[in-house]
Amino acid sequence: MSERAAVESSTGTLGTTAGASAAGASASTSAGGSPDRERRHERTPGRITPPARLRGELRLPGDKSISHRALLMAALAEGESRIAGAGDGADVRSTAAVIEALGATVGRAREDARNVDYVVVSPGADGLREPHGVLDCGNSGTTLRLTTGMLAGLALTAVLTGDASLRQRPVARIIEPLRSMGAVLHARRHDSLPPVTVVGRTPLRAIEAWTPVPSAQVKSAILLAGLRAEGRTTVREAVATRDHTERMLRARGVPVERAAVEGPSGPGVAWSLEGMTNVHAVSEHIPGDVSAAAFWLVAAAIHPDAELTLRNVGINPTRRAVIDHLRRMGARIDELPGRPDDGVGEPTADLLARSSALEAIDLGPADVAAAIDEIPILCLAATQARGTTVIRGAGELRHKESDRLAGIAAGLAALGADVDVDVSDDEIRISGPTGLRGAITDSLGDHRLAMTFAIAGLIARGETVVLRPDSVTVSYPGFFDELERVGA
């Protein structure tokens, strides 16, 4: 069954139906959040016209995934932790507010338009307190799922919720393993959706868990709970997902072992740690977010006259798939090595991206899992690639901040792209190259869709309008300022 007809028939009414979708980002810095959270996206659309050329040097927001984990681990570690260059988007602010509500002192030592240096002083895991109110995770699934794992091993009770979008995102995959470890958890709609109530206990029972659907958040929730379990906790993955949690635990004195295993459908990987191990306070610098870099890499590749330099980008082997996929398509991306990969810290590089002639590629489920956050912008790249790009096994996109599968199809179709989504197996087919035309696009309150459609506006004929552009503050405050600067 094809969604093409539904997509094409919807594009003419995007501008009048934008208000129906739930909004995303939270800029709250308190556990209670803002009472008008559901109304925070302004309806004034972002407007983009194609510049003659793209030039400039960009320093990206600190990696969002690493920034979340750094704050949570700082809460578990007794003493002072320093986190330099953390992303200052609304999602990371939600995590900072949550650990503050649990008893950590969170200071902002330095900040600019994109990043912040945090100083966190914590009494450690045993000294964290039960929060006085509900923990507001805003739009951040990472905050909710990883904090739930952390709280499962603490002797306290907490309720975690978020905005309208987050309250529709699944949590059953973390509830089941955490319950088997001895924590008590409840959620609405038969334990499938937030809010989530956690009644933690110390110590938990160590388990061996299998995650058939690739999810770094589920893996990380179990490993964080495993820190407070008696014995050895192991998480087995069918496909290796991002390993920031494992690296960061090693850097904080927690031995984490990796082993190759045989899964139901082929080779997999297992991660193990011994429980009741203390997390040490450290100082660290967060690299630039490769997911944010992806938008500029595609912008340079598809624009006819572009050269962009991206400084200090994280190129973790489990996160760099978007770079490798784009190179397979023919994107001209040079890497100037920075920090080497020692298996504990995060490797970095400067990236130089230029205008390119792209070719279609096929991405299978493992490819999608390795670049799940970058699939929307890769779809845009596919509209400018010669041939038909096929993306298989993209069903997880339906459970992000929005239904990204439907959202990217609708937005690209509005811009004139040849895009088809098969709902029977969550397959996307995009044929190109296609000359895009300016149109009204709906971000659905989703930061990654908003930035994808804005980048499309750099090459679309006429004016492109992005509805609810403020959603970009979830991960990339200042994005539209940078867009204007490099296109000047």
Side-chain angles (χ1 to χ4, degrees):
M1 174 184 177
S2 172
E3 283 186 356
R4 179 187 294 277
V7 168
E8 290 178 347
S9 66
S10 70
T11 57
T13 58
L14 279 172
T16 60
T17 61
S21 297
S26 166
S28 169
T29 56
S30 65
S34 170
D36 59 350
R37 178 183 303 283
E38 317 306 342
R39 299 192 303 275
R40 72 184 160 277
H41 286 309
E42 304 230 352
R43 301 268 169 79
T44 304
R47 298 178 180 275
I48 303 96
T49 54
R53 67 176 197 163
L54 298 177
R55 293 289 189 280
E57 179 178 301
L58 295 127
R59 293 190 177 273
L60 304 162
D63 188 284
K64 189 157 74 83
S65 293
I66 300 173
S67 298
H68 284 301
R69 288 160 171 80
L71 286 164
L72 292 172
M73 292 185 197
L76 291 173
E78 182 178 356
E80 181 181 278
S81 298
R82 289 184 172 268
I83 306 165
D88 200 23
D91 274 7
V92 176
R93 289 190 179 208
S94 291
T95 299
V98 163
I99 68 167
E100 196 167 31
L102 292 168
T105 300
V106 181
R108 295 169 64 90
R110 184 199 64 84
E111 57 188 283
D112 56 29
R114 295 171 300 280
N115 295 318
V116 60
D117 293 351
Y118 281 115
V119 179
V120 179
V121 179
S122 175
D126 290 320
L128 295 177
R129 64 168 185 253
E130 189 165 289
H132 297 303
V134 171
L135 296 174
D136 185 354
C137 301
N139 187 242
S140 176
T142 303
T143 304
L144 187 141
R145 295 190 182 108
L146 269 61
T147 302
T148 298
M150 182 182 80
L151 294 177
L154 304 181
L156 53 79
T157 299
V159 178
L160 300 94
T161 190
D163 66 10
S165 171
L166 188 64
R167 293 196 300 271
Q168 297 302 315
R169 296 178 69 182
V171 294
R173 282 184 287 170
I174 60 168
I175 286 179
E176 182 178 347
L178 296 178
R179 275 181 177 163
S180 70
M181 299 178 79
V184 176
L185 298 98
H186 299 287
R188 69 186 180 93
R189 200 166 296 176
H190 307 292
D191 295 326
S192 67
L193 297 175
V196 178
T197 299
V198 184
V199 182
R201 58 170 287 180
T202 303
L204 294 170
R205 294 186 293 270
I207 63 168
E208 287 197 11
W210 173 257
T211 59
V213 177
S215 172
Q217 292 180 7
V218 173
K219 173 183 65 175
S220 295
I222 298 169
L223 290 176
L224 290 175
L227 292 171
R228 306 284 290 177
E230 289 186 325
R232 185 178 181 86
T233 294
T234 298
V235 182
R236 301 173 186 270
E237 301 183 283
V239 175
T241 59
R242 60 187 65 180
D243 66 353
H244 301 307
T245 299
E246 297 90 317
R247 288 171 179 260
M248 296 172 76
L249 286 172
R250 287 171 180 158
R252 289 161 174 79
V254 179
V256 181
E257 297 178 10
R258 172 179 173 146
V261 295
E262 193 66 27
S265 57
V269 62
W271 300 93
S272 301
L273 59 78
E274 295 291 336
M276 309 311 292
T277 305
N278 289 331
V279 177
H280 299 155
V282 300
S283 296
E284 67 182 317
H285 192 281
I286 309 297
D289 196 320
V290 68
S291 295
F295 296 100
W296 304 114
L297 297 177
V298 171
I302 65 177
H303 194 279
D305 184 3
E307 183 171 306
L308 297 175
T309 301
L310 313 180
R311 298 294 186 192
N312 191 43
V313 181
I315 53 168
N316 181 305
T318 63
R319 288 287 300 285
R320 60 167 293 129
V322 65
I323 301 172
D324 300 328
H325 294 339
L326 286 170
R327 280 181 167 161
R328 283 175 55 202
M329 298 177 79
R332 299 163 63 204
I333 302 171
D334 296 332
E335 289 185 38
L336 304 175
R339 176 176 175 160
D341 188 359
D342 59 6
V344 177
E346 296 287 342
T348 64
D350 292 344
L351 303 180
L352 175 61
R354 301 181 181 90
S355 305
S356 307
L358 301 181
E359 300 286 336
I361 59 171
D362 282 5
L363 297 178
D367 299 317
V368 171
I372 189 67
D373 288 334
E374 295 81 50
I375 295 300
I377 193 63
L378 284 171
C379 286
L380 173 61
T383 70
Q384 303 307 301
R386 186 168 64 90
T388 299
T389 295
V390 181
I391 301 173
R392 299 182 177 88
E396 188 70 11
L397 291 174
R398 295 193 182 277
H399 307 293
K400 292 293 185 177
E401 286 86 333
S402 68
D403 182 343
R404 283 185 183 156
L405 204 56
I408 194 65
L412 292 181
L415 291 160
D418 183 356
V419 56
D420 188 37
V421 176
D422 189 328
V423 297
S424 64
D425 58 4
D426 295 318
E427 179 179 292
I428 311 169
R429 301 178 68 88
I430 301 171
S431 297
T434 303
L436 302 183
R437 59 178 182 270
I440 296 173
T441 60
D442 189 355
S443 73
L444 305 179
D446 186 318
H447 56 125
R448 300 204 192 277
L449 295 185
M451 288 187 278
T452 295
F453 301 147
I455 296 298
L458 298 176
I459 62 166
R461 186 177 67 255
E463 183 181 68
T464 297
V465 176
V466 181
L467 300 178
R468 289 176 282 183
D470 288 351
S471 58
V472 301
T473 62
V474 162
S475 62
Y476 202 148
F479 169 78
F480 283 104
D481 293 335
E482 296 283 64
L483 194 72
E484 183 176 0
R485 182 173 66 83
V486 300

